[in-house]
């Protein structure tokens, strides 16, 4: 490593790179803090972030004593996503269960239900959903609909309906959510780590007074910025690789694409994040400003990156803004590489924005450092 | 001045005397031992500190002064032994300690984003006082610190010395029974130091016990009692005169040595019989070693045509003698470097240099030129604009008007090679606390482009010269103050720059190390290195070839030290010291200012 | 001086008692500390940024960007058959509100676009479409291929495409019911199913966690880093005064941020506040106890802003973001992780906030949540107090 550095950079830059690395990695506590929590979080969040509904509690207010309501309730009770059925005997009790968040949905089966079906009419069931959890509620309704369709098929035994549509989920036939979430979380965790590490780097030197010493030395602003990209680049790369390895070997997410395309993209991704971090750092006078600034940018960036919701759902203006978010591009690359075996041309289409972001932010950082002389 | 003491005294007397308890000692130290890992900071000694007295705590860098102070205020817990303060055990009755004692840490915790007044109010209120009720105390503290005009300025924007004085003001706000001041006068100008001294003396007259750790031995000499620590051991405990008396008839002055005073000093110090020596104007003052005779020094006097007179010993002489004498006269560091070649004879120059912060002028129309190889001192009261001028010269501040050049370059736009001609030691430490001492040295060597063997050599050289080997793997943050300064100087010298800017390099450094610093500075100057230096030690100003006096942003005098002293001769001071000259210049500038203001008012 | 003292010798007991009186909690000292902290907080533009600007950004994003409601998904429709009915089905796809259709003739064209992410799936209307449709045999008529790398979108595409085909078929043989059971969903508290309404409480929880945990951890760590702690510790102020003095201003800031966000949510982003304002304030106030306690604990352990910020990020912010149940359903998590969420104050806060905004004052939800937040808070404070001693020993 050292010999490699000697070849490419001069002594001044080398000294600064060593200094930057040591400032973060010399203290054993900070070595642990930099690496262990992100990896632990990958483990925890992978299991935590799912948009499926599981272990749901459902209330049933059944005023119909007939066969079909029994059948419907029995099938719901047997469904995988249901944890427990709460049977209630009054609308008040039903309301109370919803209010207390004890159940996510409640079936209100009218007295005529079985009779209507027997008469060849459509039996209607009211499903009351807790709109506070609108997303999970919608998914629950979807599941319930499938069950109802099953009962319906049982009723119409004679007139067989085939599903007119065959669905094939490409890249992820069983739609395993984890296959999506592990690569995406790796990106998010690397993003936050790199952003926080770099956003502190210049502001800390300013606050503690060492920055003046750098400015009187023969080193150039450009060298200062280059040196400051190094720790986050190194730490981010190590973290990123460990997470990708964990995704492939621990979580068994299929890795279809090319590792040699993913590597440079990861580097460019971290570099563009580092650029944003350094830009924040170079305008901040204190560490507090730098960290809070990083949050004010980082949190919206994650929300708009396409992790929680697809970018194409956003208004056009915000979609343009999302182009300036490194995470948005990296998520496309990392998902594409893992599951889709994305070809080089598609990867490049998503890396050049990273290059532009990195170039712009890093030059801004250089300019801000220069112009902040009193 | 007097009214603060009046207020304080009425408050204190009733308080203090009622509580003195059975034992009369303010602080009792019994066999106190403190270890930090391997390092034995305090080695197990006992002492008592009395009420109504000013007790000086002196000793070389790293002797354990701050550790002792922190134990006395209950901020550290001794490994064994017992310390009681005003009758309270510092460990068991920790909270009571903070009520009966006042403490000013070495690095006083000012809130940099609060104004001067807000800081003072905060600490007053924390001690149960109110700015409105105790307005007179505030007034007198502002008076002594001379911060009156700056009460609205944020503490972060004060000069180094002004911060120190504000910290003092906050600590003196208290009416404690025991006042502990850890190096309170570091970086404080001579005029304010006199005021501070008076203030503290009046406090002790009222019965307060004051412990004052200091690196200024002229201050220690005026204490009623001193504790001299060395390597965690108590070397001396008693009135300073007692120690001074031990070295009677060993202090001499070589008078009228002429222009070659630096060379003479160097020769004198290299004599086996001479333990210590300093320059005093055109004289050299030496202290002989124990049991040494005057043969060698007489020979030297004859050799250079100087007259030798016996003079009164000072506490400083005794201190250095007790610690085994000062450094030799030759700087190993300077020996090793080649004579400096510069492109021009003028190393540093500035014309009409002006810096304004908002509507406040910190440096006002300053012009001077410094020749190659000159030691150029910049003196002036706190906040006069010395550091601001330095920073403009080094390219850290953009001048509002005028221009500054170092070796013919404006450093703000200079290339790397121009900047490597410069070494800068900031007033506030600029060391990396997250790196070890060794790593700091390696960084500053590297950032100036040193590589391979040269780099290793230079680092070893610095470690030896500044005696840093025991601290190599510690963080600069936990170094004793004096060692921090050594490390900072080492970092500034590493690349052997032809021009050096040293902003208060010796503040907080013990007298022996200060002499070493100056041995190096003298040696470097002889090799042609240009040295710009600021200091509040007036004896150090004597080492300079020329001294510029700044006062309220303006340059009020620029001459050789002797000429400045000559200008201060009057019937009160027939033979003025540098300190007299300083005070004289400041006072006459003050009179000028007033006259001008009156004239303006008249118009 | 010596005879003066001997005249006024006092008993030690008396003296100690006097000191105790001075040592007791002192309001004026506390107010001085609070004043100092508030000035510092107000002077730094970054506190304003976090407390008042970030909530606006987040609410805006939740209102317009992060809607979980799907709007327009791009899919391809591959028309391999030229028959009239095939054309009519393709037209049915093109006419829907939620799908944006790229027509194609060859499935290879659209497959590439799925790989590159331009399309989220495609529908194939096969060559023998007409034959399959009329065969009378129960068999499928179209194929739907989705981009499984985005499971949510894939699900949506599959379900929606199926719906389109079924509807198209139903319209051709009008009168024949597709299903004999009709589920009629009613979304209580959020009839229009606007996801922003359930996300806004999450935004408040995030901002409060940043203020409570992150900012507090930073400002306390800064005092250690800059040495101001040493000076304050050596004054008569007690540990409790110092800690409360430090926290009170951020408590107020957090409450102000909540109020501002609530007002913004209610008046600008059209989120109803169905519960009462006092209930909202009580919930926020109690949530700040564990949030501030956590910040304090972090900083008193690290005493360094870099470490404090990293720990606050991973132990405070990210869990509040991902484990509090506002984006991801807690019930759906595996049991060990559900167990972890019980330790995260934001979980209780989000649940109560959603209730107070959308449902009303349901004390049956609030009381257990309040109790849990309080318990966690007391736990944090107890450790933080033990860790902050009035000395510099680590
Ligand atoms: N950034 C700033 N903004 C406003 N005023 C400033 C700033 N920096 C320095 N000053 C003011 O400029 C004046 C000169 O400061 P400077 O540091 O040059 O003094 P100094 O002569 O070095 O004093 P000292 O002996 O205490 O070190 C002071 O009054 C100081 O408060
Ligand atoms: Mg200065």
């Amino acid at each position: 490593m050292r010999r490699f550095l000697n070849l490419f950079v001069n002594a001044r830059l080398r000294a600064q790179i060593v200094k930057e690395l040591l400032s973060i990695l010399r203290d054993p506590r900070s070595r642990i803090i930099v690496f262990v929590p992100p990896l632990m979080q990958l483990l925890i969040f992978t299991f935590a972030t799912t948009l499926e509904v599981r272990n749901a509690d459902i209330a049933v207010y059944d005023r119909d004593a007939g066969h079909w309501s029994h059948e419907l309730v029995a099938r719901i009770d047997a469904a995988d996503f249901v944890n427990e059925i709460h049977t209630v005997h009054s609308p008040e009790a039903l309301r109370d269960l919803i209010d207390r968040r004890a159940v996510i949905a409640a079936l209100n089966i009218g007295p005529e239900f079985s009779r209507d079906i027997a008469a060849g009419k459509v039996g209607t069931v009211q499903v009351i959903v807790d709109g506070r959890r609108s997303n999970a509620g919608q998914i629950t309704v979807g599941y319930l609909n499938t069950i109802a369709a099953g009962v319906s098929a049982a009723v119409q035994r004679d007139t067989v309906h085939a599903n007119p549509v065959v669905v094939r989920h490409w890249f992820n036939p069983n739609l395993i959510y984890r296959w999506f979430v592990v690569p995406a979380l790796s990106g998010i965790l690397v993003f936050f780590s790199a952003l926080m590490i770099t956003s502190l780097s210049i502001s800390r030197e300013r606050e503690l007074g060492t920055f003046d010493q750098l400015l009187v030395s023969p080193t150039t602003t450009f060298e200062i910025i280059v040196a400051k990209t190094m720790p986050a680049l190194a730490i981010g790369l190590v973290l990123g690789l460990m997470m990708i390895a964990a995704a492939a070997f621990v979580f068994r997410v299929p890795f279809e694409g090319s590792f040699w395309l993913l590597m440079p993209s990861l580097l460019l991704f971290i570099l563009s994040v580092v650029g944003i971090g350094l830009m924040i750092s170079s305008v901040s006078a204190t560490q507090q400003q730098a960290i809070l600034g990083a949050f004010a940018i980082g949190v919206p960036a994650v929300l708009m990156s396409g992790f929680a919701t697809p970018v194409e759902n956003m208004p056009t203006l915000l979609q343009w803004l999302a182009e300036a978010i490194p995470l948005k591009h990296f998520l496309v690359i990392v998902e594409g590489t893992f599951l889709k075996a994305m070809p080089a041309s598609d990867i490049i289409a998503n890396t050049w924005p990273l290059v532009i972001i990195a170039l712009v932010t890093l030059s801004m950082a250089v300019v801000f450092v220069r112009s902040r002389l009193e | 001045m007097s009214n603060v003491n009046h207020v304080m005294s009425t408050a204190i007397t009733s308080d203090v005397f009622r509580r003195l308890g059975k034992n009369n000692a303010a602080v009792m130290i019994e066999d106190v031992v403190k270890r930090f890992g391997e390092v034995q900071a305090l080695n197990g000694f006992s002492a008592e500190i009395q009420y109504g007295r000013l007790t000086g705590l002196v000793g070389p860098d790293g002797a354990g002064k701050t550790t002792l102070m922190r134990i006395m205020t209950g901020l550290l817990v001794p490994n064994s032994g017992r310390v009681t303060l005003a009758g309270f055990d510092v460990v068991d009755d920790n909270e009571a300690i903070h009520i009966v004692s006042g403490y000013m840490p070495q690095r006083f915790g000012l809130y940099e984003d609060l104004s001067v007044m807000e800081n003072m109010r905060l600490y007053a209120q924390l001690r149960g006082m109110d700015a409105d009720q105790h307005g007179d105390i505030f007034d007198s503290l502002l008076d002594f610190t001379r911060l009156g005009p700056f009460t609205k300025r944020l503490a972060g924007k004060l000069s180094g010395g002004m911060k120190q004085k504000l910290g003092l003001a906050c600590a003196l706000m208290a009416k404690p029974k025991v006042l502990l001041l850890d190096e309170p006068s570091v970086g404080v100008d001579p005029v304010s130091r006199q005021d501070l001294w008076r203030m503290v003396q009046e406090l002790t007259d009222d019965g307060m016990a004051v412990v004052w750790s200091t690196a200024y031995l002229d201050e220690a000499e005026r204490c009623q009692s001193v504790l001299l620590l060395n390597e965690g051991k108590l070397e001396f405990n008693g009135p300073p005169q007692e120690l001074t008396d031990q070295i009677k008839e060993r202090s001499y002055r070589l008078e009228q040595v002429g222009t070659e005073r630096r060379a003479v000093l160097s020769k004198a110090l290299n004599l086996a019989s001479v333990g210590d020596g300093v320059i005093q104007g055109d004289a050299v003052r030496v202290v002989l070693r124990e049991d040494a005779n005057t043969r060698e020094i007489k020979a030297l006097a004859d050799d250079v045509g100087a007259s030798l007179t016996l003079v009164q010993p000072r506490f400083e002489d005794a201190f250095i003698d007790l610690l085994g004498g000062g450094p030799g006269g030759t700087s190993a560091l300077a020996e090793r470097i080649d004579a400096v070649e510069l492109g021009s004879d003028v190393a540093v120059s500035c014309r009409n240099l002006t810096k304004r912060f908002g509507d406040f002028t910190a440096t006002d129309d300053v012009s001077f030129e410094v020749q190659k190889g000159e030691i150029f001192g910049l003196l002036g009261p706190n906040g006069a604009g010395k550091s601001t001028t330095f920073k403009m010269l080094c390219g850290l501040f953009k001048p509002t008007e005028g221009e500054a050049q170092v070796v013919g370059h404006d450093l703000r736009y200079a290339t790397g090679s121009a900047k490597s001609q410069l070494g800068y030691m900031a007033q506030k430490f600029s060391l990396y606390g997250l790196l070890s001492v060794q790593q700091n040295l390696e960084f500053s060597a590297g950032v100036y482009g040193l590589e391979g063997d040269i780099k290793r050599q230079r680092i070893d050289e610095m470690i030896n010269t500044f005696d840093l080997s025991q601290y190599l793997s510690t963080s600069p943050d936990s170094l004793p103050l004096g060692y921090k300064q050594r490390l900072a100087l080492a970092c500034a010298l590493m690349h052997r720059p032809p021009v050096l800017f040293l902003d208060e390099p010796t503040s907080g450094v013990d007298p022996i190390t200060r002499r070493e610093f100056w041995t190096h500075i003298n040696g470097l100057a002889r090799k042609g290195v240009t040295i710009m230096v600021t200091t509040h030690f007036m004896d150090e100003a004597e080492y300079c070839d020329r001294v510029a006096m700044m006062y309220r942003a303006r340059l009020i005098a620029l001459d050789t030290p002797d000429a400045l002293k000559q200008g201060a001769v009057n019937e009160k001071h027939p033979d003025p010291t540098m300190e007299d000259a300083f005070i004289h210049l400041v006072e006459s500038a003050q009179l000028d200012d007033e006259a001008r203001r009156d004239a303006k008012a008249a118009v | 001086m010596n005879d003066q003292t001997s005249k006024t010798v006092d008993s030690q007991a008396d003296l100690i008692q006097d000191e105790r009186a001075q040592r007791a909690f002192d309001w004026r000292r506390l107010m001085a500390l609070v004043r100092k902290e508030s000035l510092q907080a107000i002077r730094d533009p970054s506190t304003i940024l976090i407390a008042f600007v970030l909530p606006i950004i987040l609410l805006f994003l939740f209102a317009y960007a992060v809607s979980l409601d799907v709007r327009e998904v791009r899919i391809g429709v591959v028309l391999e058959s030229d028959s009239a009915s095939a054309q009519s089905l393709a037209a049915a796809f093109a006419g829907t509100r939620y799908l944006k259709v790229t027509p194609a003739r060859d499935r290879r064209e659209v497959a590439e676009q799925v790989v590159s992410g331009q399309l989220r799936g495609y529908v194939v209307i096969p060559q023998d479409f007409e034959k399959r449709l009329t065969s009378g045999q129960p068999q499928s008529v179209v194929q739907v291929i989705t981009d499984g790398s985005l499971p949510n979108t894939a699900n949506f595409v599959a379900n929606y495409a199926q719906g389109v085909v079924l509807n198209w078929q139903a319209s051709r043989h009008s009168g024949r019911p597709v299903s004999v059971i009709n589920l009629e969903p009613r979304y209580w508290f959020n009839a229009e199913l606007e996801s922003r309404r359930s996300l806004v409480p999450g935004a408040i929880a995030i901002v409060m966690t940043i203020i409570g945990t992150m900012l507090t951890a930073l400002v306390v760590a800064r005092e250690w880093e800059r040495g101001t702690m040493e000076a304050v510790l050596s004054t008569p102020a007690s540990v409790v005064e110092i800690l409360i003095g430090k926290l009170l201003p951020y408590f107020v800031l957090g409450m102000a941020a909540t109020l501002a966000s609530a007002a913004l949510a209610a008046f600008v982003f059209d989120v109803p506040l169905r519960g009462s304002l006092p209930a909202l304030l009580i919930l926020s106030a109690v949530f700040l106890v564990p949030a501030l306690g956590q910040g304090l604990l972090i900083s008193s352990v690290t005493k360094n802003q870099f470490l404090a910020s990293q720990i606050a990020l991973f132990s405070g912010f990210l869990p509040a973001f991902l484990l509090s149940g506002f984006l991801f359903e807690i019930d759906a998590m595996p049991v060990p992780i559900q167990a972890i969420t019980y330790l995260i104050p934001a979980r209780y806060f989000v649940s109560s906030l959603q209730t107070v905004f959308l449902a009303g004052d349901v004390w049956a939800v609030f009381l257990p949540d309040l109790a849990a937040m309080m318990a966690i808070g007391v736990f944090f404070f107890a450790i933080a107090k033990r860790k902050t001693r009035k000395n510099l020993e680590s």
Side-chain angles (χ1 to χ4, degrees), chain B residues 131-446:
Chain B
D132 305 323
Q133 282 168 30
H134 302 271
D136 36 2
I137 295 186
F138 272 68
D139 288 345
S140 58
L141 284 172
L142 285 174
D143 196 39
F144 129 71
T145 54
R146 292 178 169 70
L147 288 173
F150 307 116
T151 49
K152 289 210 173 65
R153 185 169 295 179
L154 296 187
K157 300 203 160 162
L158 295 176
S159 78
M162 289 158 95
K163 279 184 196 158
Q164 184 75 9
K165 289 194 285 191
L166 176 57
L168 260 172
C170 292
L172 290 175
M173 198 78 74
K175 305 168 289 177
K177 292 194 280 187
V178 182
L179 184 61
L180 302 156
L181 305 172
D182 197 355
E183 310 229 10
S185 49
V186 167
V188 174
D189 66 55
V191 184
S192 298
R193 243 169 52 218
Q194 277 192 346
D195 292 349
L196 171 64
W197 187 259
R198 261 198 307 264
M199 232 165 127
V200 167
Q201 219 152 31
E202 284 170 42
L203 290 176
T204 56
D205 288 347
D206 293 332
M208 191 189 280
V210 178
V211 184
W212 172 308
S213 86
T214 182
Y216 291 79
L217 293 180
D218 53 337
E219 283 174 354
E221 195 162 8
R222 290 158 73 181
C223 291
Q224 279 127 322
S225 171
V226 295
L227 300 175
L228 198 160
L229 294 187
N230 186 23
E231 293 180 349
K233 289 190 286 287
L234 187 64
E235 299 279 353
F236 174 81
N237 177 5
Q241 194 57 40
E242 232 171 71
L243 191 67
T244 316
D245 287 347
Q246 292 174 5
I247 58 151
K248 266 192 186 135
E249 317 219 323
R250 278 161 57 190
S251 306
Y252 291 89
R253 237 163 97 115
L254 291 158
E255 276 165 0
Q256 266 125 34
V257 291
T259 51
E260 282 302 289
R261 52 204 185 123
R262 268 180 222 146
V264 175
L265 174 66
S266 167
K267 276 183 201 150
L269 285 174
N270 285 340
L271 296 176
S273 59
V274 172
D276 181 29
V278 292
I279 288 179
Q280 283 189 330
D282 62 352
V284 169
R285 190 176 188 282
V286 295
V287 180
L288 300 186
R289 291 191 188 279
E290 207 172 353
D291 304 325
N293 61 34
T294 55
R295 195 172 43 79
E296 282 183 328
I297 192 73
K298 271 202 179 116
L300 176 68
D302 293 344
D303 205 31
V304 299
S307 60
L308 191 71
T309 28
L310 185 67
V311 290
Q312 277 293 318
R314 299 178 311 183
F315 182 70
E316 187 163 330
D317 300 341
F319 176 90
I320 288 171
D321 186 60
L322 185 77
L323 297 175
T330 327
S331 160
L333 194 68
E335 289 294 285
R336 256 178 254 156
I337 80 167
D338 303 326
V340 168
E341 295 296 333
L342 269 191
S344 66
D345 274 349
V346 180
V348 178
S349 74
C350 59
R351 236 179 315 131
N352 310 113
L353 204 57
T354 301
K355 177 74 192 171
R356 287 191 208 97
F357 297 107
D359 55 4
F360 176 79
T361 311
T363 301
D364 189 3
D365 198 18
V366 168
S367 311
F368 57 75
E369 276 191 355
V370 181
Q371 303 299 313
K372 177 191 150 198
E374 202 176 357
I375 301 183
F376 188 89
L378 204 54
L379 304 192
N382 296 130
K386 303 180 294 295
S387 299
T388 308
T389 307
F390 264 31
K391 284 185 183 162
M392 283 190 285
L393 289 169
C394 294
L396 288 172
F397 277 170
K398 182 174 161 212
T400 317
E401 277 161 38
E403 55 182 299
Q405 293 201 323
V406 175
V407 213
H409 298 282
D410 183 336
L411 284 186
R412 271 186 308 135
Y413 310 112
T415 57
S417 67
K419 280 189 179 173
S420 58
Q421 307 248 358
L422 169 98
Y424 171 64
M425 176 178 170
Q427 182 173 9
K428 188 183 163 197
F429 307 111
S430 38
L431 301 167
Y432 287 94
L434 291 168
L435 273 56
S436 68
V437 168
Q438 169 92 36
Q439 288 160 348
N440 266 283
L441 289 168
E442 287 185 1
F443 170 66
S444 26

Side-chain angles (χ1 to χ4, degrees), chain C residues 143-178:
Chain C
Q143 242 183 320
V144 175
I145 284 97
T146 69
D147 178 354
S149 73
L150 299 174
N152 289 320
T153 317
N155 244 330
F156 173 82
V157 170
N159 290 335
Y160 202 80
Q162 204 163 347
V164 170
V165 176
L166 284 173
N167 273 336
W168 176 77
Q169 274 186 328
S171 68
R172 280 164 50 99
H173 323 265
S174 48
R176 201 169 124 206
V178 177

Side-chain angles (χ1 to χ4, degrees), chain A residues 11-12 14-16 19 22-23 26 204-205 207-210 212-219 373-374, chain B residues 355 394 396-398 416 419-420 422 424 428 430-432 434-436 439 443 446-451 473:
Chain A
R12 286 196 314 238
R14 211 155 59 224
Q16 287 187 72
K19 173 206 76 176
L22 284 172
S23 328
R26 190 175 93 94
R204 178 168 50 206
E205 294 216 33
E207 193 171 320
L208 301 179
T210 47
D212 279 359
Q213 207 67 46
L214 270 187
L215 292 179
V216 295
S217 77
T219 191
L373 284 184
E374 287 255 24
Chain B
K355 177 74 192 171
C394 294
L396 288 172
F397 277 170
K398 182 174 161 212
K419 280 189 179 173
S420 58
L422 169 98
Y424 171 64
K428 188 183 163 197
S430 38
L431 301 167
Y432 287 94
L434 291 168
L435 273 56
S436 68
Q439 288 160 348
F443 170 66
V447 84
Y448 281 93
L450 301 181
E451 281 183 272
S473 56

Side-chain angles (χ1 to χ4, degrees), chain A residues 114-132:
Chain A
S114 294
R115 221 172 306 154
D116 282 344
I117 291 179
K121 287 193 271 182
V122 174
T124 300
V125 176
Q126 202 180 51
V127 182
I128 293 150
V129 186
D130 184 351
R132 284 169 288 189

